[in-house]
């Protein structure tokens, strides 16, 4: 597996900028639209569970689970961007992820932040 399979985030010049900061240098917030989020719940398949169980006995990274979590986070982020775009935002500030167990059935990943309209200063 290459490093590209273990990353996420946006490419250059996205139409909806997503940042973890509360502001963007060189821009001012013209309008606060409000909270947006993207949510997904992903179950674990039997093969990865067996592999993870065996790997936990000898130690090391659980690459299959890592890859699944990266894909899940990217999907949640894409849904957040879709929601922000649909509401007229061109940016999401204070972006965060929340990850939790969903009723012992899988992993819930929520990407959330504040949708805004930014204008260049």
């Amino acid at each position: 597996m290459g490093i590209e399979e273990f990353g996420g985030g946006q490419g250059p010049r996205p139409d909806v900028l997503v940042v973890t900061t509360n502001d963007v240098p060189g821009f001012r917030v013209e309008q606060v639209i409000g909270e947006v989020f993207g949510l997904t719940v992903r179950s674990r398949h039997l093969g990865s569970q067996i592999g993870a169980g065996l790997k936990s006995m000898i130690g090391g990274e659980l690459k299959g689970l890592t890859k699944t979590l990266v894909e899940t986070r990217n999907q949640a982020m894409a849904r957040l961007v879709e929601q922000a775009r649909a509401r007229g935002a061109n940016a999401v500030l204070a972006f965060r992820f929340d990850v939790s167990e969903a009723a012992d059935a899988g992993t819930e990943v929520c990407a959330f932040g504040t949708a805004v309209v930014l204008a260049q200063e």
Side-chain angles (χ1 to χ4, degrees):
M1 286 191 231
I3 191 67
E4 66 280 353
E5 295 180 277
F6 294 101
Q10 298 183 290
R13 299 193 181 271
D15 64 324
V16 176
L17 179 66
V18 178
V19 297
T20 59
T21 57
N22 293 326
D23 53 20
V24 177
F27 291 84
R28 70 179 181 286
V29 174
E30 279 198 339
Q31 179 185 1
V32 174
I33 294 171
E35 179 191 11
V36 289
F37 66 91
L39 182 67
T40 186
V41 178
R42 188 74 61 100
S43 67
R44 297 175 207 88
H45 63 79
L46 184 58
S48 71
Q49 287 295 92
I50 292 170
L54 293 172
K55 189 72 168 190
S56 68
M57 287 188 243
I58 59 173
E61 181 182 6
L62 306 173
K63 290 186 179 182
L65 291 177
T66 300
K67 186 176 177 186
T68 298
L69 186 55
V70 167
E71 291 168 355
T72 304
R73 286 172 62 125
N74 288 343
Q75 183 179 47
M77 185 174 177
R79 289 178 178 173
L80 166 120
V81 169
E82 287 174 28
Q83 189 182 83
R85 185 182 298 116
R87 293 180 62 192
N90 65 359
V92 176
L93 303 180
F95 171 72
R96 302 288 187 269
F97 281 112
D98 182 52
V99 180
S100 61
E101 291 296 314
D104 295 328
T107 302
E108 172 191 355
V109 175
C110 183
F112 62 95
T114 303
V116 299
V117 174
L118 293 180
Q120 200 158 11
E121 293 181 333

